[in-house]
Amino acid sequence: MRHNLTTPSQLALAISLALGSSLALAEPDESDASESTGLGFERIVVTGAVARNQTVMQSSVSVSTLTTEDIQVSAPRSTAEIFRMLPGVRSESTGGDGNANIAVRGLPVAAGGAKFLTLQEDGLPVMQFGDIAFGNADIFLRADSTISRLDVIRGGSASTAASNSPGGIINFVSKTGLEEGGSVAFTTGLNYDSFRTDFEYGGDINNDTRFHIGGFVRQGEGVRNPGYQGEKGYQLKANLTKEFDTGYVRLYAKHLNDRVASYMPMPMFADGSSVPGFDARKDTLQSVYLTQTVRLNGDNQISRGDIRNGMNPEVNSFGFEAIFDLDDHWTLENRFRINSVSGNFITLFPAEVDSAQSIANSIAGDDAVVRYAVGPNTGERFTAENAMRIHTFDVELNDFGSIVNDLKLSRRFGEVDVTFGYYLADQSIRMSWLWNSYLMALKGDNAELLDVYAADGTAFSEQGLLAYGVPFWDNCCQRNYDTDYSIRAPYLTASWAMGELSLDASVRRDIGKARGSYAGAVQSSRDMNGDGIISQVEQSVSAIDLANPSLVNYSWGYNSYSVGANYQLDNDWAVFGRISKGGRANADRLLFGKVNADGSVAREDAIDEVKQYELGSKSRHGNLNLFATLFFAKTEEQNFEATTQLFFDRVYQAKGIELESSYRIGDFDLRGSVTWTDAEITRDALNPDVVGNTPRRQADFIYSLIARYTFDQAQLGLSLIGTTAAYAQDNNDLKFSGYTQVNAFASYDLATNLTLSLNVNNLFDTIGITEAEQGSVPANGIITARTINGRTASLGLRYQF
């Protein structure tokens, strides 16, 4: 069975009808998709859907879709770079292929990750908490050719659609073999070392069974050269669908073992220009001279960490989904997944950037001497100006596994559609922080390690190692987490259509438990290198205080609701409104400060609530589509930031307008969005001086644009991603300039089904700072910040069969 769907929007609609709607189980034909144009107002809402089988035009939900063609034109270099094309979404994707900071509609990113936003694969969360320290959800997620599209729900309607997601849901929807055929694609970097193969194939096994299988393999240094192979890994995904007269069952599996470098904030001047010897757009802190680190592991045994592992997720997951029409107009829907997740997160962080002499004096006293510890100049005096005190963010992800099930039972009662649901999930968070300190030259091309000597010749470092631990941060960060979190959430959704008026309401009750223990650092002397001598750096070694763990034993509960209305004025114009309250339970970031001695946690610390109001319009004006939403949000925030060792206890407010539009004329297609946000810190229990300030990194405007023109055998595309100026920190002193990043794409059909493509990311080599550790310019003028990658170009060859 093969459907000849000729456009990406038609394919998206067909798959959405087949996958997600509990009321539309039959396979669509071409007539079902023929009206899907522009922003897809006639497609069925699937992700986070209300009970009724509604189109986007009929619903009061702010929903968007990115097709594979949209993603291709935007020329992303990581999964999180795809999100920059989404209206209302601020994706700071400068950390590599993972560890991104993602926010929506002014909801804050106080300490990294995607706290109020859930990333899903095929309708279930990747992680139950999107901001686990060193375990952000996007680390365990890879976009490849098995993806059919991205479905995105923004705003309050997500509050009851999933746990811990009041800001929104980004759902990666996989291909299922609905379209018979496949592809193989090869991509290589032109001005950077990377080679990747993507492959996928699917189709019918017989009249009622189909399959899809695919994945990718890659290797290379990556977009920044770490001095070694920074990328190496693969992903395999497969699913099998069996259709019945009244529904279907789908089995699926995924194996991910990928390794990519993690890019931390890098030294640069406050205006974004590069310091001598370090190009902030292209260089990285990683170096061939620092690939191994010796430390005590989570069991306090001497072990070795490999910095070349970078972000190294290892994921094995298996799941199924089933949808069936039952007797008496009932519909049963269930999704289940079990995940085995582990890996590593290890990278270099510049805890201090200053003159080498100043850092050395703070370690070994006045008139300290700095010498090269490695490289061709080993033993010689270091005469360059600046150096960096490096901390190894060395974290073993021992167990981030989960079990998830989402059960729904739906029925229509007259004009009212009702869904009863029950969601349950168990999430493990078991990891060990094993950090060390080094001294390194300020240099972007394989920086050398440096040794420090007192004026009398006493060595205060060994091969660049300053300490087994991080004394510059009070030896904070030798830690062990052994915790489990369970979530149980019954929910109810109802929708009602009265002519052109549609109403929907939903409630959800989240009930959770946290159990386990955690332990911090303890100092002792230890012979780490086994030479029988306790050297200077071995006199105080950070270990984990396993003998005195702290208890985690608390529960939480919160209610969420969302009420929306949509009125269709005519066939091409509808207005809608929504009032919502959602919640977000805090997890590992409460440890080491917010957990009481008996393991309990105050309710105001355990839960952050978000209240949202939305008013919007959807309209078609010939070939022009426009989606406009006014929004207001009030957000509570409890958080902890690893780099500053600071807790947050705040309330934020944000208001603004979100515009999404598309325009098509002939072979020219234009799609874009702009979001204006006015955000403010309205309360801070720990630092009242910031009340009234704009939250860190929150720009007034963020915007994106995709433009493409299709010829007979070719396609040209251009995408723009931009932001206006934003403050680096909440003190509102240091401010980053706005920027516009331009990406270009071109493809040409060499033969039937064989396409050659070229894409250029950051065509004009723009500097664009996304975050910084400092809130003010230090005396030496050097800050540590992340900027978008410089210009990179890649060439691809794709064959479809």
Side-chain angles (χ1 to χ4, degrees), residues 181-250:
S183 66
V184 60
F186 307 96
T187 307
T188 184
L190 295 179
N191 64 338
Y192 64 100
D193 178 32
S194 178
F195 188 83
R196 171 167 167 155
T197 301
D198 283 79
F199 55 93
E200 53 94 13
Y201 181 74
D204 295 332
I205 296 176
N206 53 41
N207 288 335
D208 55 18
T209 307
R210 66 179 188 271
F211 76 98
H212 193 271
I213 187 170
F216 74 86
V217 180
R218 67 170 164 187
Q219 63 181 19
E221 293 172 348
V223 293
R224 295 175 183 260
N225 183 5
Y228 48 80
Q229 192 174 69
E231 296 181 347
K232 185 177 181 180
Y234 64 95
Q235 175 170 268
L236 293 173
K237 292 173 61 180
N239 59 66
L240 180 69
T241 303
K242 170 70 172 178
E243 295 180 349
F244 300 89
D245 292 340
T246 59
Y248 72 85
V249 173
R250 177 171 300 129

Side-chain angles (χ1 to χ4, degrees), residues 390-622:
I390 294 292
H391 290 171
T392 56
F393 280 9
D394 183 359
V395 182
E396 292 184 342
L397 311 179
N398 301 315
D399 182 5
F400 278 20
S402 64
I403 299 176
V404 189
N405 196 86
D406 192 11
L407 173 66
K408 299 178 184 179
L409 191 61
S410 304
R411 191 183 191 281
R412 174 168 290 180
F413 298 90
E415 294 301 316
V416 179
D417 290 89
V418 179
T419 294
F420 306 91
Y422 189 76
Y423 177 83
L424 63 85
D426 292 309
Q427 175 74 61
S428 297
I429 303 179
R430 297 188 174 98
M431 59 179 161
S432 303
W433 296 18
L434 315 169
W435 299 9
N436 283 349
S437 302
Y438 291 84
L439 186 64
M440 179 179 281
L442 178 50
K443 179 182 175 184
D445 182 16
N446 288 321
E448 298 91 349
L449 294 173
L450 307 174
D451 275 332
V452 178
Y453 299 86
D456 63 2
T458 303
F460 276 75
S461 64
E462 295 176 356
Q463 292 291 296
L465 176 73
L466 297 176
Y468 293 102
V470 286
F472 188 63
W473 286 352
D474 297 323
N475 284 318
C476 65
C477 296
Q478 207 80 359
R479 297 181 170 184
N480 192 74
Y481 300 68
D482 189 355
T483 53
D484 292 288
Y485 299 83
S486 66
I487 300 171
R488 305 294 184 265
Y491 57 93
L492 173 65
T493 300
S495 63
W496 182 28
M498 297 180 296
E500 305 305 323
L501 176 65
S502 297
L503 302 174
D504 69 85
S506 53
V507 293
R508 187 184 187 99
R509 171 67 177 173
D510 275 270
I511 304 166
K513 296 180 181 180
R515 300 290 186 266
S517 63
Y518 62 98
V522 61
Q523 302 302 121
S524 63
S525 63
R526 186 154 178 178
D527 182 11
M528 295 294 291
N529 60 13
D531 64 358
I533 301 171
I534 301 297
S535 65
Q536 180 72 33
V537 297
E538 293 172 331
Q539 291 179 12
S540 181
V541 175
S542 292
I544 296 173
D545 193 5
L546 297 175
N548 298 287
S550 297
L551 182 66
V552 178
N553 184 20
Y554 68 93
S555 302
W556 71 86
Y558 64 89
N559 299 320
S560 302
Y561 65 81
S562 186
V563 179
N566 186 87
Y567 186 75
Q568 195 157 347
L569 300 168
D570 57 41
N571 193 51
D572 295 318
W573 186 19
V575 293
F576 68 95
R578 181 169 292 276
I579 300 174
S580 308
K581 188 187 84 167
R584 203 287 192 181
N586 293 307
D588 63 297
R589 292 183 183 266
L590 294 177
L591 308 181
F592 299 95
K594 291 291 186 177
V595 180
N596 300 318
D598 62 355
S600 64
V601 170
R603 186 188 186 281
E604 60 267 24
D605 294 332
I607 302 165
D608 292 332
E609 293 187 341
V610 182
K611 295 180 180 178
Q612 297 176 83
Y613 305 88
E614 302 162 69
L615 184 64
S617 167
K618 296 158 286 187
S619 57
R620 285 182 288 236
H621 311 273

Side-chain angles (χ1 to χ4, degrees), residues 134-135 139-140 257-260 262 295 304-314 341-347 393-398 432 434:
F134 304 104
I139 293 174
F140 310 99
N257 189 343
D258 198 20
R259 189 184 76 189
V260 294
S262 173
R295 73 286 203 262
R304 187 178 299 274
D306 192 336
I307 296 170
R308 293 170 296 185
N309 283 335
M311 292 181 286
N312 178 207
E314 299 180 26
V341 182
S342 60
N344 298 276
F345 185 109
I346 182 167
T347 190
F393 280 9
D394 183 359
V395 182
E396 292 184 342
L397 311 179
N398 301 315
S432 303
L434 315 169

Side-chain angles (χ1 to χ4, degrees), residues 96-307:
D97 203 348
N99 200 35
N101 303 322
I102 309 169
V104 60
R105 290 185 175 177
L107 272 63
V109 179
K115 178 169 182 175
F116 299 102
L117 184 77
T118 294
L119 302 183
Q120 294 185 345
E121 280 188 295
D122 297 316
L124 292 178
V126 176
M127 288 282 152
Q128 301 305 309
F129 308 96
D131 66 339
I132 300 172
F134 304 104
N136 295 355
D138 67 314
I139 293 174
F140 310 99
L141 183 63
R142 296 289 184 269
D144 60 19
S145 59
T146 65
I147 297 299
S148 165
R149 70 186 191 280
L150 266 66
D151 278 347
V152 184
I153 298 292
R154 306 178 307 281
S157 57
S159 298
T160 56
S163 296
N164 297 325
S165 60
I169 300 169
I170 300 177
N171 184 22
F172 284 70
V173 181
S174 301
K175 297 177 181 177
T176 64
L178 189 65
E179 278 276 291
E180 186 167 357
S183 66
V184 60
F186 307 96
T187 307
T188 184
L190 295 179
N191 64 338
Y192 64 100
D193 178 32
S194 178
F195 188 83
R196 171 167 167 155
T197 301
D198 283 79
F199 55 93
E200 53 94 13
Y201 181 74
D204 295 332
I205 296 176
N206 53 41
N207 288 335
D208 55 18
T209 307
R210 66 179 188 271
F211 76 98
H212 193 271
I213 187 170
F216 74 86
V217 180
R218 67 170 164 187
Q219 63 181 19
E221 293 172 348
V223 293
R224 295 175 183 260
N225 183 5
Y228 48 80
Q229 192 174 69
E231 296 181 347
K232 185 177 181 180
Y234 64 95
Q235 175 170 268
L236 293 173
K237 292 173 61 180
N239 59 66
L240 180 69
T241 303
K242 170 70 172 178
E243 295 180 349
F244 300 89
D245 292 340
T246 59
Y248 72 85
V249 173
R250 177 171 300 129
L251 304 178
Y252 58 87
K254 172 179 125 174
H255 176 67
L256 171 66
N257 189 343
D258 198 20
R259 189 184 76 189
V260 294
S262 173
Y263 306 129
M264 288 287 111
M266 294 166 286
M268 66 184 71
F269 290 117
D271 63 358
S273 60
S274 297
V275 299
F278 195 105
D279 188 335
R281 291 168 298 183
K282 296 180 173 63
D283 289 334
T284 182
L285 300 171
Q286 281 86 348
S287 169
V288 69
Y289 293 115
L290 182 53
T291 60
Q292 304 284 319
T293 179
V294 175
R295 73 286 203 262
L296 299 180
N297 64 15
D299 295 321
N300 288 333
Q301 302 298 313
I302 296 174
S303 61
R304 187 178 299 274
D306 192 336
I307 296 170

